[in-house]
Amino acid sequence: MRIRPLTGALGAEIKDVDLANLTEQTHEQIEAAFHQHLVLVFPDQSLTTPDLLALTHQLGGPGETPYLQGLSDFPDVVPIIKAASEKSPISFGSGWHTDFTFQSAPPSRTLLYALVTPPQGGDTLFTNLYLAYEALSDGLKKLLTPLNSLHSATRSYGPSSTLQNQLENMVITKETEEPAEQAHPVIRIHDVTGRPALWVNPTYTLRFENMTEQESQPLLNYLNALATNPSNTCRVRWQKDSLTVWDNRCTQHCATSDYHGHRREMLRTTVKGQPPKGVAL
Ligand code: SIN
């Protein structure tokens, strides 16, 4: 197995591994690399949909996927499709976010497998939220550590969301009433590594608990800018048959919408996670 880091911040490409036939030993090596690099890219895989699902089970089993329609035979596998003929250039997931943080136990990881890629563009950006935490001053770490923030699906899947209009080839449902808010620690302790991460994101985090959106937004804006500082990021350039796995407990990601007029087709699964834990006070 060959490991090549993508940037100094996070991400690694792993070669000479067949994910459809993982041995116990290789699985352990991949887990160690995953917790070191947070985002792993496996080029030149040859995965069927059942292989992708079997891998998802090996990594902990599928999480719950609301709002997005999965394949009819494999409801846990969601096609992420942008067709060449679509009117809107907007692609799915094209704002910084961590997957489904509006859930009480958001997915620990996400797997994304490339079936069709545009000739250029359609990359995915990732950022390291451990580094974002480490960049905070001692004073701000102390202030944020006891706080919860409230996450909601409203901006993407609430009654006035327009995501479905922009994604003609995906089936996306939305709430008819305002979705519930979910409290999570602002500083999350990773359940495997024990490391603290700055765990807010601009898509689903609405405000700090017991504060208004207006009061929260200036500090959230500062934290989101810190989290997505280019020095904390890496960029995954997709090729057909690449699989990328990322850790939702310590990263954010953002798809790019720069391939209008070209097809991009991916298969996505998530791995179920634990309710996030904060620092024991
Ligand atoms: C996602 O946000 O889950 C999808 C990202 C991508 O398609 O690059």
Side-chain angles (χ1 to χ4, degrees), residues 143-180:
L143 183 124
L144 294 174
T145 293
L147 295 188
N148 280 331
S149 66
L150 297 178
H151 298 238
S152 151
T154 191
R155 291 173 186 150
S156 304
Y157 308 108
S160 50
S161 114
T162 55
L163 209 53
Q164 177 68 88
N165 309 345
Q166 291 153 350
L167 299 164
E168 294 168 38
N169 286 281
M170 292 178 62
V171 179
I172 299 176
T173 54
K174 62 180 190 176
E175 302 281 355
T176 50
E177 301 199 351
E178 202 48 44

Side-chain angles (χ1 to χ4, degrees), residues 175-196:
E175 302 281 355
T176 50
E177 301 199 351
E178 202 48 44
E181 293 178 345
Q182 179 65 51
H184 289 306
V186 172
I187 305 302
R188 178 177 183 170
I189 301 301
H190 194 289
D191 41 82
V192 177
T193 66
R195 292 179 65 189

Side-chain angles (χ1 to χ4, degrees), residues 26-41:
T26 312
H27 186 181
E28 277 172 25
Q29 287 171 342
I30 288 174
E31 288 294 356
F34 183 70
H35 293 304
Q36 186 181 347
H37 298 286
L38 325 183
V39 175
L40 296 183
V41 183

Side-chain angles (χ1 to χ4, degrees), residues 10-156:
L10 81 166
E13 184 183 69
I14 310 267
K15 285 198 164 158
D16 299 334
V17 166
D18 176 7
L19 291 174
N21 294 292
L22 262 194
T23 62
E24 193 53 42
Q25 193 196 5
T26 312
H27 186 181
E28 277 172 25
Q29 287 171 342
I30 288 174
E31 288 294 356
F34 183 70
H35 293 304
Q36 186 181 347
H37 298 286
L38 325 183
V39 175
L40 296 183
V41 183
F42 299 88
D44 304 321
Q45 296 299 313
S46 176
L47 299 178
T48 62
T49 306
D51 288 338
L52 178 63
L53 201 52
L55 185 61
T56 307
H57 277 278
Q58 267 181 299
L59 296 180
E64 248 180 63
T65 301
Y67 306 122
L68 306 175
Q69 192 176 80
L71 299 173
S72 51
D73 293 350
F74 301 98
D76 291 320
V77 180
V78 175
I80 307 284
I81 298 177
K82 182 112 209 121
S85 58
E86 288 190 26
K87 288 189 276 307
S88 163
I90 302 298
S91 57
F92 177 78
S94 58
W96 282 104
H97 66 285
T98 300
D99 286 330
F100 297 167
T101 62
F102 52 81
Q103 294 182 317
S104 56
S108 55
R109 338 186 196 206
T110 302
L111 289 75
L112 196 61
Y113 184 58
L115 297 178
V116 180
T117 54
Q120 64 281 315
D123 302 349
T124 309
L125 310 182
F126 293 88
T127 194
N128 179 334
L129 300 179
Y130 294 138
L131 293 183
Y133 172 78
E134 286 163 18
L136 297 169
S137 63
D138 288 346
L140 199 46
K141 280 181 186 154
K142 206 164 158 192
L143 183 124
L144 294 174
T145 293
L147 295 188
N148 280 331
S149 66
L150 297 178
H151 298 238
S152 151
T154 191
R155 291 173 186 150
S156 304

